[in-house]
Amino acid sequence: MEKRPHFVRREFPPREVSSVSLALLLAAVLLLNAILYLYLNEFYTSSGHAETDPSLCPFGYFRLGAVKNCSPWLSCEAINREVRKLKCVGEGAVKKVFLSEWKENKVVLSQLTNSELKEDFLHGLKMLKALQSKHVVRLLGYCEQQFTILTEYHPLGSLRGLNETLHIPKYKGMNTWHRRLMLAMDYVSVIRYLHSSPLGTLVMCDSNDLDKVLSQYLLTSDFHILVNDLDALPLVNRSAGRLVKCGHRELRGEFVAPEQRWPYGEEIPFEDDLMPPYDEKTDIWKIPDVSNFFLGHVEGSDIVRLHLFDIHAACKRKDPAERPSAQEVLDTYRKVLTLLIREAAMPGTREML
């Protein structure tokens, strides 16, 4: 009787299978990290937001639109001759703002409206000249004699209109948790820049409520943030024992930092001379509230808030000295963005490992 060949089914040891799977998984993770690095690097260095902004010109010059060459800031004569007002688009306590035109480019012309506040206006101009960077609206020209400033125009306007902008069909694709977190990072980047500016440590004093904060910043067409109003930027100089006070009136409400509120109770009337000064950590106190606005109520925003809980709790410490620096807040935001993008790309990675 012929014997049939006996086939033995060979099984690989489980250890070999798991080793192959693990190797593939690790390769995938490494590839993801490389892609993530390139993505975040592109974000940090795109749209004129690199550490050295290639669109910036030497001091006293500007570049506008598609023009390659830098032009000198426009003088009084050039502004009067070449700039045409189109319409008034805003008015505050210090200045009136006009949408204008210069050589077929839309620009913004700001003019002093209250002569009693000319020192504030000139201080804002001084800050605008000294702080030109990727974080600050571009200065195109000025005329001190006529109290006039010319700056770049950004059609999306101030951050007060952010939520309305994100509901426009053209921009709905931007209404995501990661884009909103990037805007919060831009905001903290501006605060970090002001706290370590070429002039020293500057405090953003026009920030007594959320609406006031949002009105100080512009949203660019490529969805970045620029500080626009620099009229109230006092200087902190610890080595000289110099602290600041944001105005001469009593500040109230939970939005302003505890050290900005009258410390002596209702029984003692407010007196500016008795009000203790403070430092830049008042800006840190406000970061969680401003970031909460940026994050909005889109899918994933609550997860972002959960990851930012500890750093935001630190920002709200009553003792200013215990609050983190703007750099520390920004570093945490970047880590959270990296972590959440990685988890969104490979949601099961942690369980597989």
Side-chain angles (χ1 to χ4, degrees), residues 206-234:
D206 265 344
S207 57
N208 297 336
D209 57 63
L210 179 61
D211 191 65
K212 186 64 174 175
V213 170
L214 299 176
S215 70
Q216 310 301 303
Y217 297 85
L218 296 172
L219 180 65
T220 67
S221 297
D222 58 353
F223 269 69
H224 284 288
I225 290 173
L226 298 173
V227 62
N228 181 53
D229 196 329
L230 304 173
D231 294 345
L233 276 183

mmCIF file of all heavy atoms in Angstrom, residues 206-234:
data_model
loop_
_atom_site.group_PDB
_atom_site.id
_atom_site.type_symbol
_atom_site.label_atom_id
_atom_site.label_comp_id
_atom_site.label_asym_id
_atom_site.label_seq_id
_atom_site.Cartn_x
_atom_site.Cartn_y
_atom_site.Cartn_z
ATOM 1 N N ASP A 206 -3.556 97.740 27.071
ATOM 2 C CA ASP A 206 -4.918 97.866 26.527
ATOM 3 C C ASP A 206 -5.581 96.496 26.514
ATOM 4 O O ASP A 206 -5.889 95.944 25.457
ATOM 5 C CB ASP A 206 -4.882 98.454 25.111
ATOM 6 C CG ASP A 206 -5.094 99.957 25.126
ATOM 7 O OD1 ASP A 206 -5.548 100.475 26.157
ATOM 8 O OD2 ASP A 206 -4.796 100.611 24.110
ATOM 9 N N SER A 207 -5.824 95.950 27.707
ATOM 10 C CA SER A 207 -6.303 94.567 27.797
ATOM 11 C C SER A 207 -7.143 94.346 29.046
ATOM 12 O O SER A 207 -6.973 93.359 29.756
ATOM 13 C CB SER A 207 -5.098 93.607 27.804
ATOM 14 O OG SER A 207 -4.206 93.911 28.867
ATOM 15 N N ASN A 208 -8.052 95.260 29.311
ATOM 16 C CA ASN A 208 -8.841 95.174 30.534
ATOM 17 C C ASN A 208 -10.050 94.257 30.415
ATOM 18 O O ASN A 208 -10.678 93.929 31.425
ATOM 19 C CB ASN A 208 -9.295 96.576 30.970
ATOM 20 C CG ASN A 208 -8.102 97.465 31.298
ATOM 21 O OD1 ASN A 208 -7.021 96.978 31.635
ATOM 22 N ND2 ASN A 208 -8.291 98.764 31.180
ATOM 23 N N ASP A 209 -10.411 93.869 29.190
ATOM 24 C CA ASP A 209 -11.465 92.875 28.978
ATOM 25 C C ASP A 209 -11.183 92.167 27.660
ATOM 26 O O ASP A 209 -10.338 92.605 26.869
ATOM 27 C CB ASP A 209 -12.864 93.503 28.989
ATOM 28 C CG ASP A 209 -13.020 94.607 27.951
ATOM 29 O OD1 ASP A 209 -12.918 94.308 26.748
ATOM 30 O OD2 ASP A 209 -13.222 95.779 28.341
ATOM 31 N N LEU A 210 -11.872 91.068 27.425
ATOM 32 C CA LEU A 210 -11.587 90.254 26.248
ATOM 33 C C LEU A 210 -11.799 91.030 24.950
ATOM 34 O O LEU A 210 -10.976 90.962 24.029
ATOM 35 C CB LEU A 210 -12.458 88.990 26.260
ATOM 36 C CG LEU A 210 -12.285 88.059 25.057
ATOM 37 C CD1 LEU A 210 -10.858 87.540 24.972
ATOM 38 C CD2 LEU A 210 -13.284 86.898 25.143
ATOM 39 N N ASP A 211 -12.875 91.781 24.865
ATOM 40 C CA ASP A 211 -13.171 92.529 23.647
ATOM 41 C C ASP A 211 -12.071 93.534 23.343
ATOM 42 O O ASP A 211 -11.690 93.722 22.185
ATOM 43 C CB ASP A 211 -14.521 93.230 23.781
ATOM 44 C CG ASP A 211 -15.006 93.794 22.456
ATOM 45 O OD1 ASP A 211 -15.279 92.993 21.538
ATOM 46 O OD2 ASP A 211 -15.099 95.031 22.331
ATOM 47 N N LYS A 212 -11.549 94.171 24.388
ATOM 48 C CA LYS A 212 -10.476 95.151 24.207
ATOM 49 C C LYS A 212 -9.213 94.463 23.712
ATOM 50 O O LYS A 212 -8.523 94.974 22.817
ATOM 51 C CB LYS A 212 -10.200 95.882 25.526
ATOM 52 C CG LYS A 212 -9.207 97.020 25.402
ATOM 53 C CD LYS A 212 -9.725 98.126 24.515
ATOM 54 C CE LYS A 212 -8.801 99.318 24.520
ATOM 55 N NZ LYS A 212 -9.233 100.374 23.570
ATOM 56 N N VAL A 213 -8.901 93.284 24.277
ATOM 57 C CA VAL A 213 -7.727 92.536 23.819
ATOM 58 C C VAL A 213 -7.854 92.208 22.337
ATOM 59 O O VAL A 213 -6.937 92.453 21.540
ATOM 60 C CB VAL A 213 -7.562 91.232 24.627
ATOM 61 C CG1 VAL A 213 -6.487 90.344 23.996
ATOM 62 C CG2 VAL A 213 -7.184 91.531 26.070
ATOM 63 N N LEU A 214 -8.993 91.661 21.944
ATOM 64 C CA LEU A 214 -9.181 91.222 20.561
ATOM 65 C C LEU A 214 -9.085 92.380 19.582
ATOM 66 O O LEU A 214 -8.654 92.210 18.441
ATOM 67 C CB LEU A 214 -10.532 90.517 20.415
ATOM 68 C CG LEU A 214 -10.714 89.249 21.261
ATOM 69 C CD1 LEU A 214 -12.126 88.698 21.094
ATOM 70 C CD2 LEU A 214 -9.673 88.191 20.899
ATOM 71 N N SER A 215 -9.477 93.569 20.024
ATOM 72 C CA SER A 215 -9.446 94.731 19.132
ATOM 73 C C SER A 215 -8.026 95.209 18.853
ATOM 74 O O SER A 215 -7.811 95.974 17.908
ATOM 75 C CB SER A 215 -10.260 95.884 19.737
ATOM 76 O OG SER A 215 -9.600 96.435 20.874
ATOM 77 N N GLN A 216 -7.056 94.755 19.648
ATOM 78 C CA GLN A 216 -5.665 95.195 19.475
ATOM 79 C C GLN A 216 -4.906 94.385 18.428
ATOM 80 O O GLN A 216 -3.785 94.726 18.075
ATOM 81 C CB GLN A 216 -4.900 95.087 20.808
ATOM 82 C CG GLN A 216 -5.567 95.721 21.997
ATOM 83 C CD GLN A 216 -5.826 97.193 21.816
ATOM 84 O OE1 GLN A 216 -4.917 97.981 21.558
ATOM 85 N NE2 GLN A 216 -7.081 97.591 21.933
ATOM 86 N N TYR A 217 -5.527 93.301 17.945
ATOM 87 C CA TYR A 217 -4.828 92.384 17.040
ATOM 88 C C TYR A 217 -5.571 92.238 15.720
ATOM 89 O O TYR A 217 -6.800 92.320 15.672
ATOM 90 C CB TYR A 217 -4.689 91.001 17.693
ATOM 91 C CG TYR A 217 -3.850 91.005 18.942
ATOM 92 C CD1 TYR A 217 -4.409 91.319 20.179
ATOM 93 C CD2 TYR A 217 -2.488 90.706 18.888
ATOM 94 C CE1 TYR A 217 -3.633 91.335 21.330
ATOM 95 C CE2 TYR A 217 -1.710 90.717 20.031
ATOM 96 C CZ TYR A 217 -2.279 91.032 21.252
ATOM 97 O OH TYR A 217 -1.510 91.056 22.380
ATOM 98 N N LEU A 218 -4.809 91.987 14.653
ATOM 99 C CA LEU A 218 -5.366 91.776 13.322
ATOM 100 C C LEU A 218 -5.218 90.312 12.915
ATOM 101 O O LEU A 218 -4.246 89.648 13.292
ATOM 102 C CB LEU A 218 -4.642 92.652 12.292
ATOM 103 C CG LEU A 218 -4.785 94.168 12.457
ATOM 104 C CD1 LEU A 218 -3.844 94.881 11.488
ATOM 105 C CD2 LEU A 218 -6.223 94.611 12.233
ATOM 106 N N LEU A 219 -6.170 89.845 12.118
ATOM 107 C CA LEU A 219 -6.104 88.508 11.529
ATOM 108 C C LEU A 219 -5.682 88.662 10.070
ATOM 109 O O LEU A 219 -6.347 89.340 9.294
ATOM 110 C CB LEU A 219 -7.468 87.823 11.619
ATOM 111 C CG LEU A 219 -7.567 86.408 11.043
ATOM 112 C CD1 LEU A 219 -6.690 85.449 11.834
ATOM 113 C CD2 LEU A 219 -9.026 85.936 11.049
ATOM 114 N N THR A 220 -4.570 88.052 9.700
ATOM 115 C CA THR A 220 -4.082 88.166 8.327
ATOM 116 C C THR A 220 -4.827 87.183 7.425
ATOM 117 O O THR A 220 -5.463 86.245 7.884
ATOM 118 C CB THR A 220 -2.575 87.888 8.249
ATOM 119 O OG1 THR A 220 -2.333 86.496 8.557
ATOM 120 C CG2 THR A 220 -1.805 88.760 9.232
ATOM 121 N N SER A 221 -4.702 87.378 6.123
ATOM 122 C CA SER A 221 -5.402 86.535 5.164
ATOM 123 C C SER A 221 -4.902 85.096 5.182
ATOM 124 O O SER A 221 -5.618 84.181 4.777
ATOM 125 C CB SER A 221 -5.262 87.104 3.748
ATOM 126 O OG SER A 221 -5.879 88.376 3.668
ATOM 127 N N ASP A 222 -3.662 84.883 5.645
ATOM 128 C CA ASP A 222 -3.149 83.519 5.770
ATOM 129 C C ASP A 222 -3.280 82.988 7.205
ATOM 130 O O ASP A 222 -2.597 82.053 7.599
ATOM 131 C CB ASP A 222 -1.695 83.429 5.293
ATOM 132 C CG ASP A 222 -0.761 84.358 6.063
ATOM 133 O OD1 ASP A 222 -1.263 85.165 6.883
ATOM 134 O OD2 ASP A 222 0.456 84.294 5.851
ATOM 135 N N PHE A 223 -4.166 83.612 7.960
ATOM 136 C CA PHE A 223 -4.546 83.175 9.301
ATOM 137 C C PHE A 223 -3.379 83.157 10.289
ATOM 138 O O PHE A 223 -3.064 82.148 10.918
ATOM 139 C CB PHE A 223 -5.254 81.815 9.259
ATOM 140 C CG PHE A 223 -6.741 81.962 9.120
ATOM 141 C CD1 PHE A 223 -7.299 82.435 7.944
ATOM 142 C CD2 PHE A 223 -7.596 81.691 10.170
ATOM 143 C CE1 PHE A 223 -8.663 82.613 7.799
ATOM 144 C CE2 PHE A 223 -8.968 81.864 10.058
ATOM 145 C CZ PHE A 223 -9.505 82.328 8.862
ATOM 146 N N HIS A 224 -2.764 84.301 10.410
ATOM 147 C CA HIS A 224 -1.816 84.558 11.485
ATOM 148 C C HIS A 224 -2.279 85.825 12.200
ATOM 149 O O HIS A 224 -3.208 86.498 11.764
ATOM 150 C CB HIS A 224 -0.397 84.708 10.945
ATOM 151 C CG HIS A 224 0.231 83.405 10.568
ATOM 152 N ND1 HIS A 224 0.652 82.476 11.492
ATOM 153 C CD2 HIS A 224 0.501 82.869 9.353
ATOM 154 C CE1 HIS A 224 1.156 81.422 10.878
ATOM 155 N NE2 HIS A 224 1.076 81.639 9.580
ATOM 156 N N ILE A 225 -1.613 86.120 13.310
ATOM 157 C CA ILE A 225 -2.024 87.244 14.158
ATOM 158 C C ILE A 225 -0.908 88.279 14.222
ATOM 159 O O ILE A 225 0.266 87.937 14.378
ATOM 160 C CB ILE A 225 -2.372 86.748 15.579
ATOM 161 C CG1 ILE A 225 -3.670 85.933 15.541
ATOM 162 C CG2 ILE A 225 -2.512 87.906 16.549
ATOM 163 C CD1 ILE A 225 -4.003 85.278 16.855
ATOM 164 N N LEU A 226 -1.291 89.554 14.093
ATOM 165 C CA LEU A 226 -0.368 90.669 14.239
ATOM 166 C C LEU A 226 -0.916 91.619 15.302
ATOM 167 O O LEU A 226 -2.120 91.880 15.331
ATOM 168 C CB LEU A 226 -0.222 91.439 12.924
ATOM 169 C CG LEU A 226 0.339 90.690 11.713
ATOM 170 C CD1 LEU A 226 0.236 91.577 10.478
ATOM 171 C CD2 LEU A 226 1.779 90.278 11.954
ATOM 172 N N VAL A 227 -0.048 92.150 16.136
ATOM 173 C CA VAL A 227 -0.495 93.192 17.053
ATOM 174 C C VAL A 227 -0.537 94.494 16.272
ATOM 175 O O VAL A 227 0.356 94.798 15.478
ATOM 176 C CB VAL A 227 0.425 93.285 18.298
ATOM 177 C CG1 VAL A 227 1.847 93.660 17.939
ATOM 178 C CG2 VAL A 227 -0.150 94.265 19.309
ATOM 179 N N ASN A 228 -1.599 95.260 16.493
ATOM 180 C CA ASN A 228 -1.866 96.437 15.676
ATOM 181 C C ASN A 228 -1.826 97.736 16.468
ATOM 182 O O ASN A 228 -1.405 98.767 15.955
ATOM 183 C CB ASN A 228 -3.238 96.280 15.011
ATOM 184 C CG ASN A 228 -3.608 97.441 14.123
ATOM 185 O OD1 ASN A 228 -2.848 97.817 13.249
ATOM 186 N ND2 ASN A 228 -4.792 98.018 14.359
ATOM 187 N N ASP A 229 -2.255 97.694 17.711
ATOM 188 C CA ASP A 229 -2.369 98.909 18.525
ATOM 189 C C ASP A 229 -1.322 98.861 19.633
ATOM 190 O O ASP A 229 -1.374 98.014 20.523
ATOM 191 C CB ASP A 229 -3.771 99.006 19.128
ATOM 192 C CG ASP A 229 -4.067 100.399 19.655
ATOM 193 O OD1 ASP A 229 -3.118 101.070 20.096
ATOM 194 O OD2 ASP A 229 -5.237 100.827 19.628
ATOM 195 N N LEU A 230 -0.371 99.791 19.574
ATOM 196 C CA LEU A 230 0.746 99.801 20.522
ATOM 197 C C LEU A 230 0.784 101.089 21.342
ATOM 198 O O LEU A 230 1.837 101.504 21.819
ATOM 199 C CB LEU A 230 2.065 99.620 19.759
ATOM 200 C CG LEU A 230 2.152 98.371 18.877
ATOM 201 C CD1 LEU A 230 3.427 98.402 18.042
ATOM 202 C CD2 LEU A 230 2.111 97.117 19.715
ATOM 203 N N ASP A 231 -0.380 101.703 21.516
ATOM 204 C CA ASP A 231 -0.439 102.981 22.230
ATOM 205 C C ASP A 231 -0.138 102.846 23.723
ATOM 206 O O ASP A 231 0.308 103.802 24.352
ATOM 207 C CB ASP A 231 -1.827 103.624 22.068
ATOM 208 C CG ASP A 231 -2.114 104.022 20.629
ATOM 209 O OD1 ASP A 231 -1.161 104.061 19.827
ATOM 210 O OD2 ASP A 231 -3.290 104.268 20.302
ATOM 211 N N ALA A 232 -0.427 101.671 24.294
ATOM 212 C CA ALA A 232 -0.278 101.490 25.747
ATOM 213 C C ALA A 232 0.653 100.315 26.029
ATOM 214 O O ALA A 232 0.225 99.210 26.314
ATOM 215 C CB ALA A 232 -1.646 101.258 26.390
ATOM 216 N N LEU A 233 1.962 100.588 25.917
ATOM 217 C CA LEU A 233 2.979 99.549 26.138
ATOM 218 C C LEU A 233 4.047 100.075 27.103
ATOM 219 O O LEU A 233 5.168 100.397 26.700
ATOM 220 C CB LEU A 233 3.649 99.162 24.817
ATOM 221 C CG LEU A 233 2.975 98.137 23.911
ATOM 222 C CD1 LEU A 233 3.848 97.864 22.700
ATOM 223 C CD2 LEU A 233 2.713 96.840 24.656
ATOM 224 N N PRO A 234 3.734 100.148 28.393
ATOM 225 C CA PRO A 234 4.757 100.616 29.338
ATOM 226 C C PRO A 234 5.868 99.586 29.522
ATOM 227 O O PRO A 234 5.696 98.401 29.250
ATOM 228 C CB PRO A 234 3.960 100.818 30.632
ATOM 229 C CG PRO A 234 2.801 99.886 30.511
ATOM 230 C CD PRO A 234 2.455 99.849 29.043
#
